[in-house]
Amino acid sequence: MSLPQHVAIIMDGNGRWAQQRNKPRTFGHIKGARIAKKIITACSDKGLKNLTLYAFSSENWLRPATEVLFLMNLLRRYLKKETENLVRQNIRFQTIGEIEKLPADIQTAIRYATDRTSKNTGLNLVFAISYGSRQEITTAVQRIAERIQQKELSVDQIDESLLHHELSTSSWPDPDLIIRTSGEHRLSNFLLWQAAYSEFYFCETLWPDFTVEDLEIALLNFIKRERRFGSISHHENTHH
Ligand code: FPP
């Protein structure tokens, strides 16, 4: 009966939450960021090792410029305000995604938060920002092809482990639990390779309404499921 090693969350439904209240979508993002902060603290307090949050997908750049700008401002403010809190909570902050596409000052703030928290030994908090899994896999394949071209590597040395090491997530175990809020049952280009054996937990709750209790329900649900990795269960094993 143990916690997952790595929880990944697709925080979905901010826009709908705001629209239901006749407020602009950005109102939902503000509340969403507050919820993200609560959930991060709860995961840290529970002793969870790895938490990945889908904060901004590579497709999110296609949203209206004002919304993109708003999300960038929210991220900028979060990094400024929260870096010292992360230090105090012994949380290590890291990112995956095409950070180079972000405004320069946000890139600097990300580097600062990453360096400032790099010695922390508690929760590994990973923000997926400007992240798309197909892009990540494509980049990994390009790197491997380059190494072959340089004759550093031969084709028969390409295996799953090599690919794993070329992904931006190679420092952490694969997520064993992926949560998506707001009733959507899709992965939306999030951790495609890494999700091969993940358990999925979907709930109807919109992200701004998500609570620590909802997180606990998801964790309990995970703990109760029998995880077989395509093999037979330990229980069956002892009988056959
Ligand atoms: C999905 O809701 C949410 C996003 C695209 C942004 C996620 C960002 C946050 C929760 C803020 C986190 C930021 C920080 C700095 C912690 P949606 O807009 O897709 O909602 P909809 O599906 O109802 O339109």
Side-chain angles (χ1 to χ4, degrees), residues 11-17 19 25 29 32-33 36-37 40 53-56 60 63 67 71 74-75 78 127 182 184 206-207:
M11 309 179 286
D12 196 11
N14 293 347
R16 277 165 286 163
W17 184 87
Q19 277 156 351
R25 296 173 52 81
H29 294 317
K37 198 183 143 182
I40 292 164
L53 298 178
Y54 208 178
F56 192 86
N60 286 156
R63 292 195 176 189
E67 187 173 343
L71 284 167
L74 205 56
L75 185 61
Y78 175 85
F127 271 30
S182 90
E184 308 290 354
L206 303 175
W207 178 252

